[in-house]
Amino acid sequence: MTTIRLTAITKHYGRHQVLQDVTLSAKPGRVTALLGPNGSGKTTTIKVLLGLTRANAGSARFDDLTYAQLPRPSASVGVLLESSGLHPGMTAQQHLHIAARAARAPLERIDQVLATVGLNAQKQTRIRRYSLGMKQRVDAEVERTL
């Protein structure tokens, strides 16, 4: 169990300030949400936390470690940021196979993940035939559990 801590995060792109002095603590076992209108910095905050963009000031930690310092980051942190990376011509089973290999997760997890998201019956269906919700369930569960 890990506490997420953002301390005095500031981020700007040129003259445009996106985040100013963002500080929060998300404790294990509690639901924490980032709420705000489009353009308010929610995605930028997550990108700073994951080291996908560098803050101009402040720190982002999982307990005392940055995301890059976590021993197996994909096993510890799951996130789905924007659009899906699912290939429409593949099946969920094929996609999960690639994701499991990339995360060095056991291939046995594939059927467990499909069962968790309620897609066992559709595991051989091409992703192009999935609803948006089905795609999001696959994406989110891959990020969370593989």
Side-chain angles (χ1 to χ4, degrees):
M1 297 296 240
T2 302
T3 298
I4 297 170
R5 287 188 182 86
L6 297 172
T7 307
I9 298 290
T10 297
K11 176 64 183 170
H12 53 83
Y13 296 101
R15 292 183 180 183
H16 182 69
Q17 183 141 9
V18 180
L19 303 173
Q20 182 178 357
D21 198 31
V22 174
T23 299
L24 70 87
S25 179
K27 297 183 180 189
R30 295 193 174 163
V31 175
T32 303
L34 297 178
L35 301 173
N38 291 344
S40 64
K42 300 178 301 291
T43 299
T44 302
T45 300
I46 298 300
K47 286 180 177 180
V48 168
L49 180 63
L50 299 176
L52 297 173
T53 192
R54 180 170 287 179
N56 297 101
S59 66
R61 300 279 189 260
F62 296 86
D63 289 332
D64 294 324
L65 303 174
T66 65
Y67 181 81
Q69 294 170 326
L70 294 171
R72 285 192 60 218
S74 65
S76 304
V77 180
V79 65
L80 177 60
L81 282 175
E82 293 161 8
S83 63
S84 168
L86 300 172
H87 187 285
M90 296 177 70
T91 66
Q93 190 173 45
Q94 291 167 328
H95 179 77
L96 292 173
H97 183 86
I98 292 168
R101 297 282 308 263
R104 296 188 181 123
L107 297 179
E108 300 80 48
R109 291 284 298 131
I110 294 169
D111 285 336
Q112 294 169 346
V113 168
L114 288 167
T116 300
V117 299
L119 293 174
N120 262 343
Q122 293 86 11
K123 68 183 176 183
Q124 293 299 320
T125 301
R126 301 236 180 261
I127 291 169
R128 75 171 55 91
R129 304 185 110 195
Y130 280 16
S131 69
L132 177 60
M134 292 165 73
K135 291 174 188 174
Q136 289 173 331
R137 291 195 324 248
V138 172
D139 263 347
E141 199 62 22
V142 165
E143 293 299 325
R144 189 179 75 76
T145 64
L146 285 181

